[in-house]
PDB file of all heavy atoms in Angstrom:
ATOM      1  N   GLY A   4      -7.131  -1.653  -4.702  1.00 98.00           N
ATOM      2  CA  GLY A   4      -6.905  -0.461  -5.495  1.00 98.00           C
ATOM      3  C   GLY A   4      -6.716  -0.812  -6.982  1.00 98.00           C
ATOM      4  O   GLY A   4      -7.277  -0.112  -7.830  1.00 98.00           O
ATOM      5  N   GLN A   5      -5.973  -1.853  -7.218  1.00 98.00           N
ATOM      6  CA  GLN A   5      -5.720  -2.250  -8.659  1.00 98.00           C
ATOM      7  C   GLN A   5      -7.084  -2.704  -9.241  1.00 98.00           C
ATOM      8  O   GLN A   5      -7.385  -2.356 -10.327  1.00 98.00           O
ATOM      9  CB  GLN A   5      -4.755  -3.442  -8.699  1.00 98.00           C
ATOM     10  CG  GLN A   5      -4.532  -3.963 -10.099  1.00 98.00           C
ATOM     11  CD  GLN A   5      -3.862  -5.323 -10.120  1.00 98.00           C
ATOM     12  OE1 GLN A   5      -4.027  -6.131  -9.188  1.00 98.00           O
ATOM     13  NE2 GLN A   5      -3.204  -5.593 -11.172  1.00 98.00           N
ATOM     14  N   ARG A   6      -7.799  -3.508  -8.559  1.00 98.00           N
ATOM     15  CA  ARG A   6      -9.088  -3.994  -9.012  1.00 98.00           C
ATOM     16  C   ARG A   6     -10.065  -2.897  -9.332  1.00 98.00           C
ATOM     17  O   ARG A   6     -10.884  -2.960 -10.303  1.00 98.00           O
ATOM     18  CB  ARG A   6      -9.690  -4.948  -7.985  1.00 98.00           C
ATOM     19  CG  ARG A   6     -10.865  -5.770  -8.464  1.00 98.00           C
ATOM     20  CD  ARG A   6     -11.336  -6.746  -7.401  1.00 98.00           C
ATOM     21  NE  ARG A   6     -10.265  -7.662  -7.001  1.00 98.00           N
ATOM     22  CZ  ARG A   6     -10.064  -8.106  -5.760  1.00 98.00           C
ATOM     23  NH1 ARG A   6     -10.856  -7.697  -4.779  1.00 98.00           N
ATOM     24  NH2 ARG A   6      -9.074  -8.906  -5.484  1.00 98.00           N
ATOM     25  N   ASN A   7      -9.991  -1.822  -8.621  1.00 98.00           N
ATOM     26  CA  ASN A   7     -10.930  -0.644  -8.789  1.00 98.00           C
ATOM     27  C   ASN A   7     -10.296   0.451  -9.622  1.00 98.00           C
ATOM     28  O   ASN A   7     -10.776   1.569  -9.650  1.00 98.00           O
ATOM     29  CB  ASN A   7     -11.392  -0.137  -7.492  1.00 98.00           C
ATOM     30  CG  ASN A   7     -12.415  -1.131  -6.828  1.00 98.00           C
ATOM     31  OD1 ASN A   7     -13.317  -1.624  -7.471  1.00 98.00           O
ATOM     32  ND2 ASN A   7     -12.227  -1.400  -5.551  1.00 98.00           N
ATOM     33  N   ARG A   8      -9.245   0.111 -10.396  1.00 98.00           N
ATOM     34  CA  ARG A   8      -8.688   0.970 -11.424  1.00 98.00           C
ATOM     35  C   ARG A   8      -7.993   2.227 -10.906  1.00 98.00           C
ATOM     36  O   ARG A   8      -7.963   3.207 -11.644  1.00 98.00           O
ATOM     37  CB  ARG A   8      -9.698   1.288 -12.528  1.00 98.00           C
ATOM     38  CG  ARG A   8     -10.236   0.074 -13.243  1.00 98.00           C
ATOM     39  CD  ARG A   8     -11.225   0.383 -14.311  1.00 98.00           C
ATOM     40  NE  ARG A   8     -12.372   1.192 -13.871  1.00 98.00           N
ATOM     41  CZ  ARG A   8     -13.397   0.724 -13.184  1.00 98.00           C
ATOM     42  NH1 ARG A   8     -13.493  -0.544 -12.825  1.00 98.00           N
ATOM     43  NH2 ARG A   8     -14.419   1.517 -12.892  1.00 98.00           N
ATOM     44  N   TRP A   9      -7.453   2.203  -9.688  1.00 98.00           N
ATOM     45  CA  TRP A   9      -6.628   3.284  -9.213  1.00 98.00           C
ATOM     46  C   TRP A   9      -5.288   3.129  -9.939  1.00 98.00           C
ATOM     47  O   TRP A   9      -4.810   2.044 -10.154  1.00 98.00           O
ATOM     48  CB  TRP A   9      -6.471   3.216  -7.692  1.00 98.00           C
ATOM     49  CG  TRP A   9      -7.659   3.602  -6.955  1.00 98.00           C
ATOM     50  CD1 TRP A   9      -8.679   2.704  -6.592  1.00 98.00           C
ATOM     51  CD2 TRP A   9      -8.048   4.855  -6.487  1.00 98.00           C
ATOM     52  NE1 TRP A   9      -9.681   3.442  -5.928  1.00 98.00           N
ATOM     53  CE2 TRP A   9      -9.285   4.757  -5.850  1.00 98.00           C
ATOM     54  CE3 TRP A   9      -7.379   6.151  -6.505  1.00 98.00           C
ATOM     55  CZ2 TRP A   9      -9.923   5.834  -5.208  1.00 98.00           C
ATOM     56  CZ3 TRP A   9      -8.042   7.224  -5.881  1.00 98.00           C
ATOM     57  CH2 TRP A   9      -9.295   7.070  -5.275  1.00 98.00           C
ATOM     58  N   GLN A  10      -4.698   4.336 -10.287  1.00 98.00           N
ATOM     59  CA  GLN A  10      -3.405   4.322 -10.950  1.00 98.00           C
ATOM     60  C   GLN A  10      -2.243   4.084  -9.906  1.00 98.00           C
ATOM     61  O   GLN A  10      -1.260   3.500 -10.184  1.00 98.00           O
ATOM     62  CB  GLN A  10      -3.119   5.603 -11.712  1.00 98.00           C
ATOM     63  CG  GLN A  10      -4.019   5.736 -12.917  1.00 98.00           C
ATOM     64  CD  GLN A  10      -3.716   4.663 -13.899  1.00 98.00           C
ATOM     65  OE1 GLN A  10      -2.606   4.513 -14.356  1.00 98.00           O
ATOM     66  NE2 GLN A  10      -4.748   3.883 -14.262  1.00 98.00           N
ATOM     67  N   GLY A  11      -2.473   4.707  -8.735  1.00 98.00           N
ATOM     68  CA  GLY A  11      -1.421   4.597  -7.736  1.00 98.00           C
ATOM     69  C   GLY A  11      -1.892   5.160  -6.376  1.00 98.00           C
ATOM     70  O   GLY A  11      -2.953   5.715  -6.221  1.00 98.00           O
ATOM     71  N   ILE A  12      -0.914   4.979  -5.418  1.00 98.00           N
ATOM     72  CA  ILE A  12      -1.127   5.464  -4.069  1.00 98.00           C
ATOM     73  C   ILE A  12       0.170   6.067  -3.587  1.00 98.00           C
ATOM     74  O   ILE A  12       1.236   5.501  -3.798  1.00 98.00           O
ATOM     75  CB  ILE A  12      -1.487   4.276  -3.092  1.00 98.00           C
ATOM     76  CG1 ILE A  12      -2.663   3.440  -3.630  1.00 98.00           C
ATOM     77  CG2 ILE A  12      -1.736   4.748  -1.681  1.00 98.00           C
ATOM     78  CD1 ILE A  12      -2.821   2.096  -2.890  1.00 98.00           C
ATOM     79  N   VAL A  13       0.071   7.243  -3.000  1.00 99.00           N
ATOM     80  CA  VAL A  13       1.237   7.930  -2.354  1.00 99.00           C
ATOM     81  C   VAL A  13       0.944   8.005  -0.863  1.00 99.00           C
ATOM     82  O   VAL A  13      -0.134   8.527  -0.466  1.00 99.00           O
ATOM     83  CB  VAL A  13       1.447   9.331  -2.977  1.00 99.00           C
ATOM     84  CG1 VAL A  13       2.562  10.018  -2.214  1.00 99.00           C
ATOM     85  CG2 VAL A  13       1.726   9.258  -4.434  1.00 99.00           C
ATOM     86  N   VAL A  14       1.770   7.389  -0.042  1.00 98.00           N
ATOM     87  CA  VAL A  14       1.559   7.327   1.366  1.00 98.00           C
ATOM     88  C   VAL A  14       2.642   8.125   2.155  1.00 98.00           C
ATOM     89  O   VAL A  14       3.785   7.715   2.117  1.00 98.00           O
ATOM     90  CB  VAL A  14       1.570   5.869   1.889  1.00 98.00           C
ATOM     91  CG1 VAL A  14       1.198   5.772   3.347  1.00 98.00           C
ATOM     92  CG2 VAL A  14       0.602   5.012   1.049  1.00 98.00           C
ATOM     93  N   TYR A  15       2.211   9.168   2.803  1.00 98.00           N
ATOM     94  CA  TYR A  15       3.141   9.902   3.717  1.00 98.00           C
ATOM     95  C   TYR A  15       3.045   9.140   5.021  1.00 98.00           C
ATOM     96  O   TYR A  15       2.408   9.543   5.957  1.00 98.00           O
ATOM     97  CB  TYR A  15       2.709  11.305   3.830  1.00 98.00           C
ATOM     98  CG  TYR A  15       3.622  12.171   4.676  1.00 98.00           C
ATOM     99  CD1 TYR A  15       5.021  12.209   4.450  1.00 98.00           C
ATOM    100  CD2 TYR A  15       3.146  12.970   5.734  1.00 98.00           C
ATOM    101  CE1 TYR A  15       5.845  12.937   5.235  1.00 98.00           C
ATOM    102  CE2 TYR A  15       3.949  13.760   6.472  1.00 98.00           C
ATOM    103  CZ  TYR A  15       5.346  13.748   6.284  1.00 98.00           C
ATOM    104  OH  TYR A  15       6.168  14.479   7.028  1.00 98.00           O
ATOM    105  N   GLY A  16       3.702   7.985   5.034  1.00 98.00           N
ATOM    106  CA  GLY A  16       3.656   7.003   6.098  1.00 98.00           C
ATOM    107  C   GLY A  16       4.262   5.715   5.581  1.00 98.00           C
ATOM    108  O   GLY A  16       4.976   5.685   4.582  1.00 98.00           O
ATOM    109  N   CYS A  17       3.834   4.595   6.175  1.00 98.00           N
ATOM    110  CA  CYS A  17       4.391   3.338   5.811  1.00 98.00           C
ATOM    111  C   CYS A  17       3.421   2.383   5.184  1.00 98.00           C
ATOM    112  O   CYS A  17       2.216   2.540   5.307  1.00 98.00           O
ATOM    113  CB  CYS A  17       4.980   2.625   7.076  1.00 98.00           C
ATOM    114  SG  CYS A  17       6.363   3.476   7.762  1.00 98.00           S
ATOM    115  N   ILE A  18       3.924   1.390   4.396  1.00 98.00           N
ATOM    116  CA  ILE A  18       3.147   0.317   3.916  1.00 98.00           C
ATOM    117  C   ILE A  18       3.716  -1.014   4.517  1.00 98.00           C
ATOM    118  O   ILE A  18       4.769  -0.975   5.191  1.00 98.00           O
ATOM    119  CB  ILE A  18       3.202   0.232   2.369  1.00 98.00           C
ATOM    120  CG1 ILE A  18       4.674  -0.139   1.891  1.00 98.00           C
ATOM    121  CG2 ILE A  18       2.727   1.550   1.773  1.00 98.00           C
ATOM    122  CD1 ILE A  18       4.720  -0.622   0.482  1.00 98.00           C
ATOM    123  N   ARG A  19       3.088  -2.139   4.223  1.00 98.00           N
ATOM    124  CA  ARG A  19       3.616  -3.431   4.579  1.00 98.00           C
ATOM    125  C   ARG A  19       3.378  -4.368   3.463  1.00 98.00           C
ATOM    126  O   ARG A  19       2.756  -4.003   2.419  1.00 98.00           O
ATOM    127  CB  ARG A  19       3.048  -3.936   5.848  1.00 98.00           C
ATOM    128  CG  ARG A  19       1.603  -4.300   5.851  1.00 98.00           C
ATOM    129  CD  ARG A  19       1.061  -4.617   7.214  1.00 98.00           C
ATOM    130  NE  ARG A  19       0.011  -5.618   7.171  1.00 98.00           N
ATOM    131  CZ  ARG A  19      -0.344  -6.389   8.207  1.00 98.00           C
ATOM    132  NH1 ARG A  19       0.290  -6.292   9.311  1.00 98.00           N
ATOM    133  NH2 ARG A  19      -1.304  -7.238   8.069  1.00 98.00           N
ATOM    134  N   ASP A  20       3.846  -5.625   3.482  1.00 98.00           N
ATOM    135  CA  ASP A  20       3.731  -6.609   2.450  1.00 98.00           C
ATOM    136  C   ASP A  20       4.396  -6.093   1.170  1.00 98.00           C
ATOM    137  O   ASP A  20       3.897  -6.263   0.010  1.00 98.00           O
ATOM    138  CB  ASP A  20       2.285  -6.942   2.123  1.00 98.00           C
ATOM    139  CG  ASP A  20       1.504  -7.373   3.371  1.00 98.00           C
ATOM    140  OD1 ASP A  20       2.031  -8.222   4.075  1.00 98.00           O
ATOM    141  OD2 ASP A  20       0.373  -6.876   3.544  1.00 98.00           O
ATOM    142  N   ALA A  21       5.557  -5.440   1.337  1.00 98.00           N
ATOM    143  CA  ALA A  21       6.240  -4.798   0.179  1.00 98.00           C
ATOM    144  C   ALA A  21       6.528  -5.774  -0.928  1.00 98.00           C
ATOM    145  O   ALA A  21       6.420  -5.412  -2.104  1.00 98.00           O
ATOM    146  CB  ALA A  21       7.537  -4.087   0.673  1.00 98.00           C
ATOM    147  N   ASP A  22       6.989  -6.964  -0.613  1.00 98.00           N
ATOM    148  CA  ASP A  22       7.374  -7.892  -1.668  1.00 98.00           C
ATOM    149  C   ASP A  22       6.126  -8.288  -2.492  1.00 98.00           C
ATOM    150  O   ASP A  22       6.197  -8.450  -3.742  1.00 98.00           O
ATOM    151  CB  ASP A  22       8.011  -9.152  -1.061  1.00 98.00           C
ATOM    152  CG  ASP A  22       9.383  -8.855  -0.499  1.00 98.00           C
ATOM    153  OD1 ASP A  22      10.051  -7.842  -0.889  1.00 98.00           O
ATOM    154  OD2 ASP A  22       9.858  -9.616   0.376  1.00 98.00           O
ATOM    155  N   ASP A  23       5.006  -8.474  -1.808  1.00 98.00           N
ATOM    156  CA  ASP A  23       3.749  -8.864  -2.527  1.00 98.00           C
ATOM    157  C   ASP A  23       3.288  -7.652  -3.338  1.00 98.00           C
ATOM    158  O   ASP A  23       2.774  -7.798  -4.502  1.00 98.00           O
ATOM    159  CB  ASP A  23       2.665  -9.279  -1.563  1.00 98.00           C
ATOM    160  CG  ASP A  23       3.083 -10.581  -0.835  1.00 98.00           C
ATOM    161  OD1 ASP A  23       3.694 -11.449  -1.477  1.00 98.00           O
ATOM    162  OD2 ASP A  23       2.692 -10.755   0.309  1.00 98.00           O
ATOM    163  N   ILE A  24       3.349  -6.436  -2.821  1.00 98.00           N
ATOM    164  CA  ILE A  24       2.926  -5.219  -3.526  1.00 98.00           C
ATOM    165  C   ILE A  24       3.744  -5.001  -4.766  1.00 98.00           C
ATOM    166  O   ILE A  24       3.199  -4.505  -5.792  1.00 98.00           O
ATOM    167  CB  ILE A  24       2.951  -4.015  -2.586  1.00 98.00           C
ATOM    168  CG1 ILE A  24       1.775  -4.191  -1.550  1.00 98.00           C
ATOM    169  CG2 ILE A  24       2.788  -2.713  -3.385  1.00 98.00           C
ATOM    170  CD1 ILE A  24       1.763  -3.105  -0.489  1.00 98.00           C
ATOM    171  N   GLU A  25       4.967  -5.440  -4.723  1.00 98.00           N
ATOM    172  CA  GLU A  25       5.831  -5.328  -5.951  1.00 98.00           C
ATOM    173  C   GLU A  25       5.280  -6.066  -7.149  1.00 98.00           C
ATOM    174  O   GLU A  25       5.516  -5.714  -8.256  1.00 98.00           O
ATOM    175  CB  GLU A  25       7.222  -5.820  -5.598  1.00 98.00           C
ATOM    176  CG  GLU A  25       8.283  -5.400  -6.569  1.00 98.00           C
ATOM    177  CD  GLU A  25       8.571  -3.928  -6.548  1.00 98.00           C
ATOM    178  OE1 GLU A  25       8.479  -3.296  -5.501  1.00 98.00           O
ATOM    179  OE2 GLU A  25       8.916  -3.355  -7.621  1.00 98.00           O
ATOM    180  N   GLU A  26       4.488  -7.089  -6.954  1.00 98.00           N
ATOM    181  CA  GLU A  26       3.935  -7.921  -7.969  1.00 98.00           C
ATOM    182  C   GLU A  26       2.530  -7.429  -8.462  1.00 98.00           C
ATOM    183  O   GLU A  26       1.963  -7.917  -9.341  1.00 98.00           O
ATOM    184  CB  GLU A  26       3.728  -9.370  -7.481  1.00 98.00           C
ATOM    185  CG  GLU A  26       5.011  -9.995  -6.997  1.00 98.00           C
ATOM    186  CD  GLU A  26       6.093 -10.087  -8.081  1.00 98.00           C
ATOM    187  OE1 GLU A  26       5.718 -10.375  -9.234  1.00 98.00           O
ATOM    188  OE2 GLU A  26       7.258  -9.767  -7.826  1.00 98.00           O
ATOM    189  N   ILE A  27       2.035  -6.372  -7.811  1.00 98.00           N
ATOM    190  CA  ILE A  27       0.728  -5.823  -8.145  1.00 98.00           C
ATOM    191  C   ILE A  27       0.856  -4.631  -9.136  1.00 98.00           C
ATOM    192  O   ILE A  27       1.657  -3.772  -8.931  1.00 98.00           O
ATOM    193  CB  ILE A  27      -0.070  -5.420  -6.829  1.00 98.00           C
ATOM    194  CG1 ILE A  27      -0.199  -6.588  -5.973  1.00 98.00           C
ATOM    195  CG2 ILE A  27      -1.403  -4.731  -7.207  1.00 98.00           C
ATOM    196  CD1 ILE A  27      -0.656  -6.279  -4.548  1.00 98.00           C
ATOM    197  N   GLU A  28       0.066  -4.656 -10.178  1.00 97.00           N
ATOM    198  CA  GLU A  28       0.091  -3.600 -11.185  1.00 97.00           C
ATOM    199  C   GLU A  28      -0.572  -2.321 -10.660  1.00 97.00           C
ATOM    200  O   GLU A  28      -1.696  -1.991 -10.966  1.00 97.00           O
ATOM    201  CB  GLU A  28      -0.578  -4.049 -12.516  1.00 97.00           C
ATOM    202  CG  GLU A  28      -0.499  -3.080 -13.634  1.00 97.00           C
ATOM    203  CD  GLU A  28       0.909  -2.746 -14.055  1.00 97.00           C
ATOM    204  OE1 GLU A  28       1.868  -3.570 -13.913  1.00 97.00           O
ATOM    205  OE2 GLU A  28       1.088  -1.588 -14.566  1.00 97.00           O
ATOM    206  N   LEU A  29       0.186  -1.617  -9.756  1.00 98.00           N
ATOM    207  CA  LEU A  29      -0.310  -0.400  -9.111  1.00 98.00           C
ATOM    208  C   LEU A  29       0.958   0.398  -8.741  1.00 98.00           C
ATOM    209  O   LEU A  29       1.958  -0.234  -8.256  1.00 98.00           O
ATOM    210  CB  LEU A  29      -1.099  -0.745  -7.853  1.00 98.00           C
ATOM    211  CG  LEU A  29      -1.691   0.406  -7.067  1.00 98.00           C
ATOM    212  CD1 LEU A  29      -2.890   1.017  -7.774  1.00 98.00           C
ATOM    213  CD2 LEU A  29      -2.151  -0.097  -5.678  1.00 98.00           C
ATOM    214  N   GLY A  30       0.969   1.688  -8.937  1.00 98.00           N
ATOM    215  CA  GLY A  30       2.070   2.452  -8.455  1.00 98.00           C
ATOM    216  C   GLY A  30       1.887   2.785  -7.003  1.00 98.00           C
ATOM    217  O   GLY A  30       0.808   3.117  -6.555  1.00 98.00           O
ATOM    218  N   VAL A  31       3.011   2.632  -6.264  1.00 98.00           N
ATOM    219  CA  VAL A  31       2.959   2.885  -4.804  1.00 98.00           C
ATOM    220  C   VAL A  31       4.286   3.593  -4.429  1.00 98.00           C
ATOM    221  O   VAL A  31       5.325   3.135  -4.763  1.00 98.00           O
ATOM    222  CB  VAL A  31       2.785   1.568  -3.999  1.00 98.00           C
ATOM    223  CG1 VAL A  31       2.787   1.923  -2.471  1.00 98.00           C
ATOM    224  CG2 VAL A  31       1.549   0.801  -4.372  1.00 98.00           C
ATOM    225  N   ARG A  32       4.065   4.673  -3.675  1.00 98.00           N
ATOM    226  CA  ARG A  32       5.216   5.393  -3.057  1.00 98.00           C
ATOM    227  C   ARG A  32       4.905   5.562  -1.613  1.00 98.00           C
ATOM    228  O   ARG A  32       3.756   5.830  -1.253  1.00 98.00           O
ATOM    229  CB  ARG A  32       5.457   6.749  -3.692  1.00 98.00           C
ATOM    230  CG  ARG A  32       5.886   6.748  -5.107  1.00 98.00           C
ATOM    231  CD  ARG A  32       7.266   6.073  -5.349  1.00 98.00           C
ATOM    232  NE  ARG A  32       7.746   6.260  -6.700  1.00 98.00           N
ATOM    233  CZ  ARG A  32       7.389   5.517  -7.724  1.00 98.00           C
ATOM    234  NH1 ARG A  32       6.539   4.490  -7.577  1.00 98.00           N
ATOM    235  NH2 ARG A  32       7.895   5.687  -8.892  1.00 98.00           N
ATOM    236  N   ALA A  33       5.878   5.322  -0.750  1.00 98.00           N
ATOM    237  CA  ALA A  33       5.714   5.472   0.722  1.00 98.00           C
ATOM    238  C   ALA A  33       7.051   5.866   1.317  1.00 98.00           C
ATOM    239  O   ALA A  33       8.098   5.731   0.683  1.00 98.00           O
ATOM    240  CB  ALA A  33       5.202   4.139   1.321  1.00 98.00           C
ATOM    241  N   LEU A  34       7.035   6.294   2.536  1.00 98.00           N
ATOM    242  CA  LEU A  34       8.247   6.655   3.232  1.00 98.00           C
ATOM    243  C   LEU A  34       9.049   5.382   3.534  1.00 98.00           C
ATOM    244  O   LEU A  34      10.286   5.448   3.419  1.00 98.00           O
ATOM    245  CB  LEU A  34       7.966   7.362   4.559  1.00 98.00           C
ATOM    246  CG  LEU A  34       7.256   8.742   4.385  1.00 98.00           C
ATOM    247  CD1 LEU A  34       6.968   9.314   5.777  1.00 98.00           C
ATOM    248  CD2 LEU A  34       8.094   9.682   3.557  1.00 98.00           C
ATOM    249  N   ASP A  35       8.404   4.297   3.937  1.00 98.00           N
ATOM    250  CA  ASP A  35       9.108   3.075   4.298  1.00 98.00           C
ATOM    251  C   ASP A  35       8.138   1.933   4.498  1.00 98.00           C
ATOM    252  O   ASP A  35       6.952   2.137   4.233  1.00 98.00           O
ATOM    253  CB  ASP A  35       9.979   3.324   5.537  1.00 98.00           C
ATOM    254  CG  ASP A  35      11.285   2.531   5.497  1.00 98.00           C
ATOM    255  OD1 ASP A  35      11.316   1.391   4.975  1.00 98.00           O
ATOM    256  OD2 ASP A  35      12.332   3.092   5.925  1.00 98.00           O
ATOM    257  N   THR A  36       8.621   0.874   5.023  1.00 98.00           N
ATOM    258  CA  THR A  36       7.756  -0.229   5.399  1.00 98.00           C
ATOM    259  C   THR A  36       7.748  -0.481   6.892  1.00 98.00           C
ATOM    260  O   THR A  36       8.675  -0.118   7.594  1.00 98.00           O
ATOM    261  CB  THR A  36       8.244  -1.578   4.695  1.00 98.00           C
ATOM    262  OG1 THR A  36       9.573  -1.867   5.173  1.00 98.00           O
ATOM    263  CG2 THR A  36       8.254  -1.420   3.217  1.00 98.00           C
ATOM    264  N   HIS A  37       6.631  -1.107   7.338  1.00 98.00           N
ATOM    265  CA  HIS A  37       6.505  -1.456   8.763  1.00 98.00           C
ATOM    266  C   HIS A  37       5.582  -2.620   8.817  1.00 98.00           C
ATOM    267  O   HIS A  37       4.532  -2.650   8.215  1.00 98.00           O
ATOM    268  CB  HIS A  37       5.882  -0.253   9.519  1.00 98.00           C
ATOM    269  CG  HIS A  37       6.119  -0.387  10.980  1.00 98.00           C
ATOM    270  ND1 HIS A  37       5.512  -1.356  11.757  1.00 98.00           N
ATOM    271  CD2 HIS A  37       6.849   0.423  11.817  1.00 98.00           C
ATOM    272  CE1 HIS A  37       5.896  -1.142  13.021  1.00 98.00           C
ATOM    273  NE2 HIS A  37       6.663  -0.109  13.114  1.00 98.00           N
ATOM    274  N   PRO A  38       5.914  -3.710   9.554  1.00 98.00           N
ATOM    275  CA  PRO A  38       5.111  -4.929   9.547  1.00 98.00           C
ATOM    276  C   PRO A  38       3.788  -4.794  10.377  1.00 98.00           C
ATOM    277  O   PRO A  38       2.906  -5.628  10.151  1.00 98.00           O
ATOM    278  CB  PRO A  38       6.018  -5.976  10.238  1.00 98.00           C
ATOM    279  CG  PRO A  38       6.998  -5.183  11.016  1.00 98.00           C
ATOM    280  CD  PRO A  38       7.194  -3.924  10.337  1.00 98.00           C
ATOM    281  N   LEU A  39       3.620  -3.841  11.203  1.00 98.00           N
ATOM    282  CA  LEU A  39       2.482  -3.729  12.080  1.00 98.00           C
ATOM    283  C   LEU A  39       1.328  -3.032  11.282  1.00 98.00           C
ATOM    284  O   LEU A  39       1.521  -1.972  10.693  1.00 98.00           O
ATOM    285  CB  LEU A  39       2.770  -2.884  13.302  1.00 98.00           C
ATOM    286  CG  LEU A  39       1.609  -2.722  14.313  1.00 98.00           C
ATOM    287  CD1 LEU A  39       1.230  -4.042  14.940  1.00 98.00           C
ATOM    288  CD2 LEU A  39       2.074  -1.679  15.370  1.00 98.00           C
ATOM    289  N   LYS A  40       0.116  -3.688  11.346  1.00 97.00           N
ATOM    290  CA  LYS A  40      -1.061  -3.041  10.707  1.00 97.00           C
ATOM    291  C   LYS A  40      -1.575  -1.946  11.576  1.00 97.00           C
ATOM    292  O   LYS A  40      -1.344  -1.856  12.827  1.00 97.00           O
ATOM    293  CB  LYS A  40      -2.065  -4.061  10.365  1.00 97.00           C
ATOM    294  CG  LYS A  40      -2.738  -4.728  11.562  1.00 97.00           C
ATOM    295  CD  LYS A  40      -3.780  -5.730  11.088  1.00 97.00           C
ATOM    296  CE  LYS A  40      -4.328  -6.508  12.200  1.00 97.00           C
ATOM    297  NZ  LYS A  40      -5.292  -7.539  11.789  1.00 97.00           N
ATOM    298  N   SER A  41      -2.343  -1.044  10.966  1.00 97.00           N
ATOM    299  CA  SER A  41      -2.890   0.110  11.657  1.00 97.00           C
ATOM    300  C   SER A  41      -4.124  -0.298  12.480  1.00 97.00           C
ATOM    301  O   SER A  41      -4.679  -1.389  12.321  1.00 97.00           O
ATOM    302  CB  SER A  41      -3.227   1.205  10.745  1.00 97.00           C
ATOM    303  OG  SER A  41      -4.461   0.902  10.084  1.00 97.00           O
ATOM    304  N   ILE A  42      -4.593   0.641  13.276  1.00 95.00           N
ATOM    305  CA  ILE A  42      -5.839   0.471  14.011  1.00 95.00           C
ATOM    306  C   ILE A  42      -6.966   0.744  13.058  1.00 95.00           C
ATOM    307  O   ILE A  42      -6.751   1.281  11.917  1.00 95.00           O
ATOM    308  CB  ILE A  42      -5.986   1.361  15.252  1.00 95.00           C
ATOM    309  CG1 ILE A  42      -5.825   2.875  14.849  1.00 95.00           C
ATOM    310  CG2 ILE A  42      -4.909   0.974  16.278  1.00 95.00           C
ATOM    311  CD1 ILE A  42      -6.121   3.827  15.923  1.00 95.00           C
ATOM    312  N   LYS A  43      -8.201   0.434  13.445  1.00 95.00           N
ATOM    313  CA  LYS A  43      -9.350   0.709  12.556  1.00 95.00           C
ATOM    314  C   LYS A  43     -10.498   1.317  13.395  1.00 95.00           C
ATOM    315  O   LYS A  43     -11.315   0.559  13.942  1.00 95.00           O
ATOM    316  CB  LYS A  43      -9.770  -0.587  11.860  1.00 95.00           C
ATOM    317  CG  LYS A  43      -8.812  -0.936  10.756  1.00 95.00           C
ATOM    318  CD  LYS A  43      -8.831  -2.428  10.484  1.00 95.00           C
ATOM    319  CE  LYS A  43      -7.834  -2.847   9.401  1.00 95.00           C
ATOM    320  NZ  LYS A  43      -6.483  -2.544   9.754  1.00 95.00           N
ATOM    321  N   LYS A  44     -10.494   2.602  13.528  1.00 96.00           N
ATOM    322  CA  LYS A  44     -11.514   3.298  14.285  1.00 96.00           C
ATOM    323  C   LYS A  44     -12.347   4.175  13.349  1.00 96.00           C
ATOM    324  O   LYS A  44     -13.297   4.870  13.862  1.00 96.00           O
ATOM    325  CB  LYS A  44     -10.882   4.143  15.367  1.00 96.00           C
ATOM    326  CG  LYS A  44     -10.245   3.355  16.470  1.00 96.00           C
ATOM    327  CD  LYS A  44      -9.748   4.210  17.594  1.00 96.00           C
ATOM    328  CE  LYS A  44      -9.125   3.383  18.724  1.00 96.00           C
ATOM    329  NZ  LYS A  44      -8.610   4.227  19.805  1.00 96.00           N
ATOM    330  N   GLY A  45     -12.003   4.302  12.091  1.00 95.00           N
ATOM    331  CA  GLY A  45     -12.789   5.089  11.161  1.00 95.00           C
ATOM    332  C   GLY A  45     -12.546   6.557  11.310  1.00 95.00           C
ATOM    333  O   GLY A  45     -13.401   7.379  10.911  1.00 95.00           O
TER     334      GLY A  45
END
């Protein structure tokens, strides 16, 4: 998202890698964190 010039992401759900995301020049808001990645079914 940062590389493609997005200003930010608002997630009505969870993110992970919060400590690493803190170092990325991108605004992020989410309900909380969760270590499990999502499924990918499209």
Side-chain angles (χ1 to χ4, degrees):
Q5 177 197 28
R6 193 175 299 142
N7 287 315
R8 298 180 308 282
W9 288 86
Q10 292 298 303
I12 306 168
V13 176
V14 184
Y15 184 51
C17 293
I18 67 160
R19 67 187 212 160
D20 304 315
D22 292 338
D23 294 326
I24 288 175
E25 195 68 32
E26 302 300 317
I27 299 168
E28 184 60 28
L29 181 73
V31 179
R32 296 294 189 277
L34 296 178
D35 216 322
T36 60
H37 197 293
L39 181 66
K40 65 182 174 180
S41 77
I42 60 171
K43 287 156 183 58
K44 293 185 178 178

